[in-house]
Amino acid sequence: MSTTSRYVVGIDLGTTHSVMAYLDASQLGEEGPPPVPVLFEVPQVVLPGQVDARPLLPSFLYLSAPTDFPARSLQLPWASEDRTWTVGELARQHGGNVPMRLVSSAKSWLAYDGVDRSAPILPFAAPSDGPDAVPKVSPVDASARYLEHLKDAWNHQKPGHPLHEQEVLITVPASFDQVARELTVRAAHQAGLQKVTLLEEPQAAFYAWLGRHPRSWRDLLHVGDVVLVCDVGGGTTDFSLISVADQVGNLTIERIAVGDHILLGGDNMDLMLAMSVGKRLEREGHKLEPWQRRQLLHSCRFAKEDLLGADRSKEQAPVVILGRGSKVIGGSIKTQLTRGDVEKFLLDGFFPQVEAAARPMAARRMGLQEIGLPFASDPAVTRHLAKFLGDHRMPTALLFNGGVMKGTPLRKRVEQVVSSWAGQSVRALTGADYDHSVALGAAYYGLVRRGHGLRIRGGTARSYFIGVEAAMPAVPGMDPVLHALCVAPRGMEEGTTAEVPGREFGLFVGQPVEFRFLSSSTRRGDRVGDFIEELSSEHGIEELASVETVLASGDGVLSGSQIPVRLISHVSEVGVLELWCVSRDGNKRWKLEYNIRERTGSVDGGELLEEAPSPELGDGS
């Protein structure tokens, strides 16, 4: 929304929890320091018929059966209809007992291109037909329901300033690809938030740290420092490097590297704890049914979060599995997880001490595998971190974020391991708020957008290329040679436009064609128009999902014609890459962007836009 709105609202749409923070920008004109972001307490159903406001909205959606709750016990102050679903704390707690009706990790599914993310597939393992059928939703729908709940809660408390009229910033993992970003925007639109800005989560965490140290950060960071933002959340592990430099006597901050999308986080840790506890229960004579194992997984998650929380005096947490038959309560299986067990399991399994040359181990895959989230084959966060830093550079400071990193031994282990790699002490920046930093930092970024505070320079986290088929004779048994043309270098800022200089290309219209997109997170120095003649693994370029489409030919153009076009790339305000093909005379324009078909899940794009103008080139392009 316009940066003149009264409120700036930051939303952390998390895998495990969603958080909303805001500040009142109307105070900017007053004397004294700028306003400080505060958390928005989110009303939610915590028990049947009981609504309470809490700073965290658990990112869980429970699709209830008719017999689950009394009539109207899921009602919220702003909803008059009799709901059959709920999000938040009750969904999290009750869904742990009935996991077949619980939607969780929607954010991880949103980033998985192995399924149709717009199709009703969640809860993933739940039956779709028969007497136990569960109504399903898509990952986009689930994300939209969390955002809609936040919007409705805001509008109920601030009816004079509806959320869709405020400046709203939604955070995403830095490693989210173009499709996942676009789908996040689609979920926001579905929730009634038509204009939002996306911000990378590690940057938001760093903004939150800057906001907590508005004057002293220059004493804590110096020219030449490189900060590793280590963000381990419920579903993903995200790494980013942020450098401090001197530009004409002024300190500047720039995001210089972003890691790959790693589906490794609290979900994996919950599974390991559940497997360990399950083996213990088997040794004690308990035989668990499959549904009880799913319940055990959720119970271990709750125990882990309890033990890794701020209350360091708590040494153990209960794990409860409901029994079978009519004696559900009396037949419950109960055990404990201790703080020592949790920290040992996580340190040994997920944060082992490894050398700087270590790399993630590739597991040997079975020929057939259940369809599900593509979790990282190597669970060692430290090995993934070694690869990331080996591809880029060693840090001088650490900033931790994410619920997993609330565990002090886990932070100490990362600090110890990275220091051993760097050959010097790598200090941890203090004052982090692991659950709330991302939302608070997103709200603080709204201040920065209005000219208050230091902006992190970054732009796109990767360089993007489009494949160009070589003009050469066909050779039997050989595919056409593919060149890679840089259309958006790493660091291209949101809202900017660039034209591929000095070249035209032939665009086929009116017949099925394929566009192949590629990217690199490690290449430095690429410029728009750079041409890579031969691709190999040494170039550090990986291929993305291709775009298959039929471009409209328009009036007076024969189907199958080849039209000379120039290429213009544009990075939108929400960070989505658009590529425009403009005819030589400028009368016809085609826009290529990632869009997911509703039913097939394949990538689609390309339309003739004779009315809508392509982005104009400005001075900054």
Side-chain angles (χ1 to χ4, degrees):
M1 197 65 193
S2 168
T3 54
T4 60
S5 65
R6 174 169 177 175
Y7 293 101
V8 177
V9 182
I11 297 177
D12 174 11
L13 186 62
T15 306
T16 307
H17 294 96
S18 293
V19 187
M20 186 158 63
Y22 69 99
L23 56 82
D24 187 349
S26 66
Q27 302 173 18
L28 284 173
E30 301 176 2
E31 295 293 329
V36 176
V38 295
L39 292 174
F40 181 86
E41 298 276 337
V42 186
Q44 55 197 282
V45 182
V46 296
L47 291 171
Q50 180 180 334
V51 175
D52 192 15
R54 299 187 178 181
L56 299 178
L57 176 73
S59 300
F60 295 87
L61 166 65
Y62 185 77
L63 306 167
S64 64
T67 57
D68 273 334
F69 305 108
R72 306 189 67 79
S73 61
L74 303 182
Q75 295 309 104
L76 290 160
W78 55 82
S80 59
E81 74 277 7
D82 191 10
R83 290 199 167 188
T84 59
W85 54 272
T86 186
V87 303
E89 184 59 31
L90 179 62
R92 172 183 179 268
Q93 292 287 353
H94 190 78
N97 298 327
V98 194
M100 294 300 284
R101 290 186 167 271
L102 181 66
V103 175
S104 60
S105 302
K107 182 176 177 180
S108 297
W109 287 101
L110 203 65
Y112 179 32
D113 61 3
V115 297
D116 181 357
R117 291 164 277 186
S118 295
I121 59 173
L122 301 178
F124 194 72
S128 300
D129 49 30
D132 298 323
V134 176
K136 295 191 175 186
V137 299
S138 73
V140 175
D141 293 334
S143 301
R145 292 202 193 186
Y146 305 144
L147 290 171
E148 184 180 24
H149 185 100
L150 294 172
K151 180 201 71 175
D152 291 343
W154 172 279
N155 292 347
H156 180 71
Q157 293 191 22
K158 300 183 183 294
H161 303 278
L163 190 59
H164 72 274
E165 293 182 358
Q166 311 311 309
E167 182 182 358
V168 178
L169 301 109
I170 298 177
T171 62
V172 295
S175 52
F176 254 23
D177 64 14
Q178 296 295 318
V179 178
R181 291 170 189 248
E182 180 65 29
L183 289 174
T184 302
V185 174
R186 183 185 298 184
H189 291 174
Q190 194 169 314
L193 303 174
Q194 294 303 314
K195 292 187 178 181
V196 298
T197 299
L198 300 186
L199 176 66
E200 293 174 4
E201 290 168 5
Q203 287 195 51
F206 194 82
Y207 275 122
W209 184 82
L210 288 176
R212 284 190 291 271
H213 304 83
R215 295 181 178 84
S216 62
W217 76 265
R218 287 176 173 82
D219 299 323
L220 301 172
L221 293 177
H222 307 93
V223 173
D225 272 335
V226 176
V227 180
L228 165 67
V229 183
C230 181
D231 185 349
V232 185
T236 58
T237 290
D238 241 359
F239 303 128
S240 288
L241 288 176
I242 295 175
S243 71
V244 181
D246 184 345
Q247 188 175 57
V248 197
N250 296 317
L251 285 178
T252 62
I253 300 177
E254 181 179 4
R255 192 259 286 116
I256 58 175
V258 167
D260 296 328
H261 189 66
I262 307 172
L263 274 184
L264 172 61
D267 290 345
N268 307 67
M269 300 171 192
D270 301 336
L271 180 59
M272 187 189 74
L273 292 172
M275 292 174 66
S276 175
V277 173
K279 290 179 180 178
R280 182 204 307 168
L281 293 175
E282 287 180 357
R283 291 194 298 268
E284 295 173 357
H286 300 287
K287 180 175 175 57
L288 300 182
E289 299 289 343
W291 66 271
Q292 288 178 306
R293 292 188 180 278
R294 287 189 289 272
Q295 192 179 96
L296 173 62
L297 175 64
H298 290 285
S299 188
C300 286
R301 171 189 291 146
F302 303 152
K304 179 205 71 180
E305 292 175 357
D306 207 14
L307 292 170
L308 290 181
D311 184 5
R312 298 290 299 169
S313 63
K314 184 169 290 187
E315 290 299 327
Q316 61 183 20
V319 175
V320 180
I321 309 168
L322 295 183
R324 297 185 294 270
S326 58
K327 296 182 179 180
V328 172
I329 303 300
S332 295
I333 302 170
K334 300 179 181 179
T335 186
Q336 299 282 338
L337 268 177
T338 68
R339 176 184 297 278
D341 286 342
V342 170
E343 292 179 349
K344 182 179 185 303
F345 285 147
L346 300 191
L347 282 173
D348 294 345
F350 293 91
F351 295 89
Q353 292 180 314
V354 297
E355 299 295 327
R359 293 298 181 265
M361 295 184 293
R364 184 178 180 181
R365 297 292 189 184
M366 295 287 291
L368 292 176
Q369 187 180 46
E370 283 186 323
I371 295 176
L373 288 172
F375 293 111
S377 58
D378 189 335
V381 172
T382 43
R383 277 194 284 269
H384 291 281
L385 180 55
K387 178 183 184 303
F388 171 68
L389 296 178
D391 289 341
H392 299 286
R393 57 192 292 190
M394 287 294 166
T396 59
L398 291 164
L399 179 63
F400 293 107
N401 190 58
V404 170
M405 301 315 299
K406 287 189 290 187
T408 301
L410 308 185
R411 299 196 304 274
K412 292 294 185 183
R413 172 60 60 84
V414 173
E415 190 175 346
Q416 175 188 6
V417 169
V418 175
S419 294
S420 70
W421 298 341
Q424 62 180 1
S425 177
V426 177
R427 67 193 187 281
L429 301 179
T430 59
D433 183 339
Y434 310 106
D435 281 330
H436 309 128
S437 283
V438 169
L440 292 167
Y444 178 81
Y445 175 61
L447 277 186
V448 175
R449 281 163 56 90
R450 300 184 187 210
H452 300 269
L454 193 65
R455 186 165 187 164
I456 301 172
R457 297 167 51 195
T460 57
R462 292 169 170 76
S463 294
Y464 288 94
F465 306 80
I466 190 169
V468 179
E469 184 178 327
M472 60 182 294
V475 178
M478 293 186 63
D479 294 329
V481 174
L482 182 71
H483 304 317
L485 174 72
C486 181
V487 293
R490 193 173 76 174
M492 185 170 173
E493 296 285 349
E494 289 83 358
T496 60
T497 301
E499 180 176 354
V500 174
R503 299 195 67 159
E504 286 187 333
F505 300 89
L507 180 72
F508 284 100
V509 297
Q511 68 179 35
V513 291
E514 178 186 33
F515 293 90
R516 294 170 66 178
F517 287 87
L518 309 97
S519 75
S520 173
S521 62
T522 58
R523 292 175 60 87
R524 297 178 176 88
D526 289 317
R527 297 174 300 175
V528 173
D530 284 355
F531 208 64
I532 301 175
E533 296 283 346
E534 296 184 9
L535 294 176
S536 69
S537 58
E538 298 176 355
H539 288 103
I541 296 177
E542 60 182 9
E543 189 158 0
L544 307 175
S546 61
V547 172
E548 297 180 5
T549 189
V550 177
L551 298 179
S553 55
D555 296 336
V557 179
L558 295 176
S559 179
S561 297
Q562 186 185 65
I563 298 177
V565 296
R566 56 193 176 95
L567 301 181
I568 298 176
S569 57
H570 176 71
V571 179
S572 72
E573 289 292 341
V574 296
V576 175
L577 174 64
E578 301 171 354
L579 184 63
W580 293 75
C581 304
V582 183
S583 63
R584 181 181 292 169
D585 58 12
N587 292 330
K588 293 182 173 62
R589 296 167 291 278
W590 294 263
K591 183 174 70 170
L592 303 176
E593 61 182 345
Y594 283 118
N595 284 300
I596 302 299
R597 290 182 186 154
E598 286 187 350
R599 299 188 183 276
T600 66
S602 61
V603 181
D604 192 12
E607 52 183 325
L608 177 62
L609 299 169
E610 300 195 69
E611 299 298 331
S614 55
E616 296 295 332
L617 293 175
D619 294 337
S621 60

